[in-house]
Amino acid sequence: MTARERSYSWEDPTELARGGTQVSGLEYLRAMQAGDLPHPPICATVGFRFVGFEEGRAVMELEPSEHQYNTIGTVHGGVIVTLLDSVAGSAVHTTLPAGVGYTTVGITTSFVRAVRGDTGLLRAEGRLIRAGRRVALAEADLTDADGNLYAHATSNCLIVAP
């Protein structure tokens, strides 16, 4: 067997958390995308990146790699769910005012195709379906460059006001 290595770094997440209390959710996410605030450590851990944000919509990308594999030689479903949870939650976050956050209370994911290291760049798009005062519903799709669907998720988020 040939050993492989992967190393990565991240910035202090407390700085990131403090930055989110002063601006709207959309401004917060765009500041991370622009590099004005550090990215959350999960981006480096899993390997996804921010692509774009607008009100009620978020887009992220993932380049699948063997370091994400499970025991059967495909990207672990938890990696995919983490990405879909992040992009669906971010779609909700784009609509929230300064100081208001969210937390996922439930996510349901359907896997359509296996993801492997040679699948190529994948795009996750989250969309807000409905937001109330306390609960929001969002959905997310994971597709390849040809538009083939790999997974779909629906997410219920609790709106957390100070």
Side-chain angles (χ1 to χ4, degrees), residues 23-109:
V23 296
S24 72
L26 181 58
E27 292 170 307
Y28 180 60
L29 290 164
R30 286 181 173 167
M32 282 185 274
Q33 181 185 2
D36 298 331
L37 287 173
H39 286 78
I42 194 69
C43 290
T45 301
V46 174
F48 58 87
R49 67 180 187 88
F50 295 163
V51 174
F53 302 100
E54 56 190 60
E55 190 161 328
R57 184 172 173 269
V59 180
M60 300 177 188
E61 291 180 338
L62 171 72
E63 186 73 45
S65 174
E66 68 179 17
H67 78 274
Q68 302 159 333
Y69 277 13
N70 57 25
T71 56
I72 60 172
T74 61
V75 171
H76 192 283
V79 169
I80 295 165
V81 173
T82 299
L83 174 59
L84 293 175
D85 179 48
S86 296
V87 77
S90 291
V92 170
H93 203 178
T94 64
T95 66
L96 300 179
V100 176
Y102 73 93
T103 188
T104 303
V105 293
I107 186 166
T108 303
T109 306

Side-chain angles (χ1 to χ4, degrees), residues 82-156:
T82 299
L83 174 59
L84 293 175
D85 179 48
S86 296
V87 77
S90 291
V92 170
H93 203 178
T94 64
T95 66
L96 300 179
V100 176
Y102 73 93
T103 188
T104 303
V105 293
I107 186 166
T108 303
T109 306
S110 298
F111 300 95
V112 179
R113 287 184 167 83
V115 176
R116 295 182 177 78
D118 63 356
T119 298
L121 186 66
L122 294 173
R123 180 181 183 95
E125 182 176 337
R127 294 166 301 282
L128 178 69
I129 296 173
R130 183 182 186 286
R133 286 184 321 117
R134 299 288 296 152
V135 177
L137 176 64
E139 66 179 354
D141 291 321
L142 183 66
T143 58
D144 65 15
D146 294 326
N148 296 309
L149 182 67
Y150 282 76
H152 175 82
T154 56
S155 178
N156 293 303

